[in-house]
Amino acid sequence: KAGVTQTPRYLIKTRGQQVTLSCSPISGHRSVSWYQQTPGQGLQFLFEYFSETQRNKGNFPGRFSGRQFSNSRSEMNVSTLELGDSALYLCASSSLTSTETDTQYFGPGTRLTVL
Amino acid sequence: AQKITQTQPGMFVQEKEAVTLDCTYDTSDPSYGLFWYKQPSSGEMIFLIYQGSYDQQNATEGRYSLNFQKARKSANLVISASQLGDSAMYFCAMRDTTPSKLTFGTGTRLQVTL
């Protein structure tokens, strides 16, 4: 079974631009979560989508948004980029067949650099 | 609020030796799950092992085992017979009331030497 895929793997943008990152979950997984990883703040939860609905959201400004499609693929968008948005963005999927063992499987990440 | 603490920023271990990576957690939720992930320099987070709060036995997965001490709120990862390929960052994470949201520790960088 193919793992979680994320595109693109690397991105370079300038301040003020917007960016869209894509995530394809493991086949059959309906939950997709997004995380931001920076050297200063570590790994932080952005949001989670399940059946095309955002169920949970972390403590990030409204510039960070996302959506999920009917095939469970998800995108996240960051508008009006700031230097501090430079980070590794990780997507994870889970099957949620059990509330106890909903292990999240991560993709390779998208490394975003804002200049 | 839930919190994960990893007090070892870096660890060294010789090849073929065992190593323990520490993790303590804090949550008021009686139902939670504890996870360990490995992150090589490539960036991908690789799932290693899971322990549920109601599990009676410590989890094991190949060379990985989780030393779960509920009263102490600790969930240490034990890697037996270390290999050079084990060199990476290791993160402890917890999921409690919010489904599909993991809270991560700051990680431990493990370096396996010859």
Side-chain angles (χ1 to χ4, degrees):
Chain A
K1 193 182 265 191
V4 178
T5 58
Q6 292 186 246
T7 57
R9 293 293 311 279
Y10 302 91
L11 265 179
I12 299 176
K13 293 286 187 179
T14 56
R15 279 183 300 174
Q17 287 186 309
Q18 75 163 17
V19 67
T20 299
L21 312 182
S22 180
C23 171
S24 292
I26 292 170
S27 177
H29 286 193
R30 295 166 62 191
S31 170
V32 174
S33 298
W34 289 88
Y35 295 84
Q36 181 197 64
Q37 185 177 24
T38 61
Q41 299 298 318
L43 280 147
Q44 293 185 289
F45 173 78
L46 279 157
F47 32 64
E48 183 246 355
Y49 285 86
F50 180 80
S51 292
E52 302 178 62
T53 302
Q54 185 184 91
R55 293 199 303 176
N56 299 293
K57 191 177 192 309
N59 189 25
F60 279 82
R63 299 186 297 107
F64 292 82
S65 63
R67 59 178 175 169
Q68 187 180 35
F69 302 94
S70 58
N71 61 358
S72 295
R73 189 177 70 85
S74 177
E75 289 181 346
M76 69 162 281
N77 184 78
V78 188
S79 62
T80 319
L81 284 166
E82 300 177 0
L83 294 178
D85 297 334
S86 294
L88 179 66
Y89 290 89
L90 291 161
C91 162
S93 75
S94 58
S95 64
L96 291 185
T97 53
S98 162
T99 56
E100 282 292 316
T101 60
D102 56 335
T103 298
Q104 292 188 34
Y105 296 92
F106 285 80
T110 294
R111 191 167 295 280
L112 172 65
T113 302
V114 182
L115 302 176
Chain B
Q2 58 272 35
K3 187 177 180 181
I4 294 283
T5 302
Q6 294 181 255
T7 58
Q8 307 155 312
M11 291 277 288
F12 286 88
V13 64
Q14 278 195 317
E15 197 180 19
K16 300 178 186 175
E17 297 293 311
V19 63
T20 298
L21 306 183
D22 295 340
C23 171
T24 58
Y25 61 91
D26 189 23
T27 180
S28 55
D29 192 341
S31 175
Y32 51 88
L34 295 158
F35 302 80
W36 277 92
Y37 287 88
K38 170 185 177 182
Q39 188 178 42
S41 56
S42 60
E44 182 173 358
M45 299 284 281
I46 301 167
F47 166 70
L48 296 177
I49 196 166
Y50 165 83
Q51 180 84 43
S53 57
Y54 296 119
D55 293 344
Q56 296 296 312
Q57 293 189 323
N58 287 341
T60 60
E61 288 285 351
R63 295 186 298 111
Y64 305 107
S65 60
L66 201 152
N67 184 2
F68 181 47
Q69 298 188 44
K70 197 169 182 177
R72 292 187 176 184
K73 292 190 174 180
S74 74
N76 298 339
L77 176 71
V78 181
I79 305 174
S80 62
S82 296
Q83 302 171 354
L84 294 177
D86 294 335
S87 295
M89 282 290 287
Y90 287 80
F91 290 93
C92 180
M94 177 173 64
R95 182 220 69 239
D96 52 17
T97 54
T98 307
S100 298
K101 175 190 174 183
L102 293 175
T103 299
F104 285 87
T106 52
T108 296
R109 182 171 296 281
L110 177 67
Q111 184 69 45
V112 181
T113 62
L114 291 170

